[in-house]
Amino acid sequence: MKLKIAVQKSGRLHDDSIGLLKECGIEVSNGVNSLKVTAGNFPLEVLYLRDDDIPQYVEDGVADIGIVGENVVLEKQKPITTLLPLGFGKCRLSVAVPKGSAYKSIACLSGRRIATSYPVILNAFLQDNGVSAEIHEISGSVEIAPNIGLADAICDLVSSGSTLFLNNLEETEVILRSEAVLVQGPVLAAEKQRILDQLLFRIEAVKRSKKYKYILLNAPDENLENIIRIIPGMKSPTILPLATEGWSSVHSVVQEDDFWNIIESLRREGAQGILVTAIEKMIV
Ligand code: PRT
Ligand code: ZN
């Protein structure tokens, strides 16, 4: 038996989705010429689909799980479960208006025409804010709508902001922040659930490893206690005596977020020869 996963066939989430499977030790070809491929070394079948179709296929059980933007999950309103965020495909769904518009607050959208491919999310946002506007649903190139006189504002995905800039638009409201998520449909048979649990275990290990760095340093013995307090590690750091009397080598893991603060504290405690490397997998 194989677990079936739906992945975007081509587009912004494709490479990172396949990359994640690879980091989980699962080898799949990228589906350039086929809609369905079987992994060589894990009981997984990959279905390559358009991202908009993934929630439906997962709901129907055609695919057991899928990788799709949370923005699509929220727009499609299907009864599927979000299992976990995957840390890529990050973007925001925002309202933007032509630069120089006299925009002060959401209330300025009242009675206006807003072009979007996300009518469900936009409608809920407007309702929550007590604003009534005209929603024009269009499926692509939303950013040109104001320039061709089709709309007064747009609601679209933004990542770098360069599309808005190039079209002389400015972002006025962020409706939601999104990233790729793993979704699941109906309850799985026991054997498939076991495969999913295995996959989730691997994904967690890969995700965790990205949050941490492995750190090695030399420390004067008299400051070891303070240094251990700064980098407590997973259980506790490994301490090995150096050939030079009065010095030890300390091995531990540190969180990426806090990295530079930690390095400064370590240097204050006399740490030297600090080496930092990426971790490929991290199992606690
Ligand atoms: O063919 P298919 O239907 O599968 O793909 P698609 O063309 O509908 O989707 P695709 O590949 O563009 O996006 C897939 C998913 O990537 C989205 O659902 C989001 O979850 C995520 N994502 C992340 C983005 C962006 N960033 C993004 N910037 N999706 C789209 N954009 C577009 C946006 O619509 C706008 O046109 O990029 C432009 C803005 O980008 P910046 O960098 O100029 O701000
Ligand atoms: Zn799409």
Side-chain angles (χ1 to χ4, degrees):
M1 186 174 291
K2 290 187 169 53
L3 186 72
K4 285 182 277 183
I5 184 168
V7 167
Q8 191 186 26
K9 179 159 174 59
S10 63
R12 288 168 195 263
L13 301 183
H14 176 85
D15 288 352
D16 284 333
S17 302
I18 298 303
L20 175 65
L21 294 177
K22 282 215 169 91
E23 286 179 296
C24 290
I26 302 169
E27 287 297 334
V28 288
S29 57
N30 61 14
V32 174
N33 297 314
S34 52
L35 294 178
K36 195 164 92 170
V37 303
T38 301
N41 54 356
F42 192 81
L44 189 75
E45 202 165 80
V46 182
L47 308 181
Y48 290 110
L49 300 167
R50 285 199 55 198
D51 68 341
D52 316 73
D53 297 336
I54 291 177
Q56 180 75 59
Y57 280 114
V58 167
E59 180 196 357
D60 293 344
V62 174
D64 302 307
I65 56 173
I67 297 179
V68 66
E70 202 178 3
N71 49 298
V72 174
V73 176
L74 293 171
E75 181 65 25
K76 299 293 177 187
Q77 301 263 305
K78 302 288 181 199
I80 56 177
T81 313
T82 297
L83 296 174
L84 80 170
L86 298 173
F88 58 84
K90 289 191 176 169
C91 57
R92 49 197 193 272
L93 183 68
S94 294
V95 174
V97 299
K99 252 180 221 153
S101 308
Y103 188 95
K104 288 198 185 60
S105 69
I106 304 172
C108 298
L109 296 171
S110 184
R112 301 290 176 174
R113 299 163 303 159
I114 312 174
T116 189
S117 309
Y118 292 87
V120 172
I121 300 176
L122 175 59
N123 186 42
F125 172 77
L126 293 174
Q127 272 192 3
D128 285 352
N129 286 285
V131 170
S132 134
E134 234 180 84
I135 299 178
H136 282 255
E137 183 176 354
I138 50 179
S139 59
S141 304
V142 172
E143 65 278 1
I144 63 168
N147 292 323
I148 58 171
L150 192 71
D152 307 301
I154 66 164
C155 160
D156 197 13
L157 298 175
V158 182
S159 45
S160 69
S162 62
T163 302
L164 294 185
F165 180 81
L166 289 171
N167 286 281
N168 215 26
L169 297 166
E170 66 185 327
E171 196 173 357
T172 54
E173 310 288 342
V174 176
I175 299 181
L176 66 91
R177 291 184 188 278
S178 174
E179 65 184 274
V181 291
L182 190 71
V183 292
Q184 181 187 351
V187 175
L188 298 175
E191 198 178 332
K192 279 194 175 181
Q193 184 62 46
R194 225 177 28 248
I195 304 169
L196 175 58
D197 290 343
Q198 243 179 314
L199 178 64
L200 288 173
F201 178 81
R202 294 187 188 192
I203 293 176
E204 294 285 7
V206 169
K207 276 184 62 188
R208 203 177 296 119
S209 72
K210 290 190 199 298
K211 275 203 293 191
Y212 291 89
K213 297 275 180 212
Y214 190 74
I215 183 166
L216 296 101
L217 56 88
N218 295 329
D221 285 346
E222 66 266 24
N223 291 349
L224 270 181
E225 241 175 75
N226 288 347
I227 286 181
I228 292 170
R229 228 173 282 131
I230 300 167
I231 46 171
M234 289 168 77
K235 192 165 258 151
S236 61
T238 305
I239 315 273
L240 300 164
L242 288 188
T244 309
E245 184 83 7
W247 283 81
S248 296
S249 163
V250 181
H251 300 208
S252 191
V253 293
V254 294
Q255 287 233 25
E256 175 96 78
D257 300 351
D258 219 12
F259 181 73
W260 290 108
N261 287 332
I262 290 173
I263 298 293
E264 272 173 37
S265 312
L266 290 171
R267 280 165 56 83
R268 272 199 298 275
E269 294 298 332
Q272 295 179 1
I274 304 174
L275 299 180
V276 179
T277 65
I279 299 173
E280 203 176 295
K281 312 276 188 299
M282 187 165 164
I283 291 114
V284 289

